[in-house]
Amino acid sequence: MASNPSQPLACPRCATRYSLDERFCTDCGMPLTYAGRVDVTEPASGVRERARKVKPEYTRGDLRRVATARHQPEAELIQMLLLEEGVPSTLKRSAGFDVPDFLAAGPRDVLVPESGLGIAREVLRESEISASPDASVPAPYATTGRPIARLFLGLVAGAAVLGLLLWVVLVLNS
């Protein structure tokens, strides 16, 4: 259908206008939204403007984690940075954290489609936000050698202290 400002529904992505009997855009398949007053062309703002920023070439493939934020507001900031470059993203609560869903606390994984992964990592690198080193490994399982080395040193130190205490007790009892 051609754009017609007298039709009350519009596609949030391509701004094509439709009558009330349509539900989805015939060009891109997006659900239609109320476009505002009939017979008036209004500039796009808010949600409509953000939907138009998404570049179709970055919407293909499975979702991959590109970053992990400490809480909901930080994750939304990352989403807005990615959207400015046309990369769509979604948030998912990180595995292993038992925080009620209605709270903004707790880490969030920022997921992007595979086709937008490279540009997303570049945007995060330029903004000095650390991207996930391996997007295929979930955050709780991606570890470096340092926590394991600390655990090992702690166990060795604990065993040494326990051995020293046993030696002192044996010496005092003899």
Side-chain angles (χ1 to χ4, degrees), residues 18-100:
Y18 293 91
S19 64
L20 287 174
D21 57 338
E22 299 290 330
R23 294 290 173 248
F24 297 95
C25 179
T26 57
D27 295 331
C28 60
M30 290 286 289
L32 301 177
T33 60
Y34 179 68
R37 297 179 299 187
V38 177
D39 294 330
V40 175
T41 303
E42 297 176 0
S45 62
V47 176
R48 291 184 193 134
E49 187 65 33
R50 285 193 301 271
R52 289 182 188 170
K53 289 181 180 180
V54 173
K55 294 181 180 174
E57 62 267 20
Y58 298 142
T59 61
R60 292 171 182 77
D62 294 333
L63 292 176
R64 300 286 183 204
R65 187 186 70 201
V66 71
T68 301
R70 291 174 291 196
H71 43 73
Q72 182 78 23
E74 184 179 49
E76 290 174 355
L77 171 72
I78 293 170
Q79 274 191 305
M80 294 308 294
L81 288 172
L82 294 174
L83 186 60
E84 288 299 317
E85 295 299 320
V87 179
S89 61
T90 188
L91 301 179
K92 178 182 171 190
R93 187 177 299 278
S94 297
F97 292 90
D98 189 23
V99 179

Side-chain angles (χ1 to χ4, degrees), residues 85-151:
E85 295 299 320
V87 179
S89 61
T90 188
L91 301 179
K92 178 182 171 190
R93 187 177 299 278
S94 297
F97 292 90
D98 189 23
V99 179
D101 287 337
F102 59 87
L103 293 180
R108 306 279 199 263
D109 291 334
V110 181
L111 308 168
V112 299
E114 284 178 333
S115 61
L117 192 58
I119 190 75
R121 285 186 176 157
E122 184 179 322
V123 167
L124 294 176
R125 189 173 23 259
E126 287 175 6
S127 63
E128 299 179 4
I129 296 175
S130 62
S132 296
D134 183 7
S136 62
V137 178
Y141 305 110
T143 60
T144 62
R146 290 185 179 176
I148 295 170
R150 287 184 194 157
L151 177 64

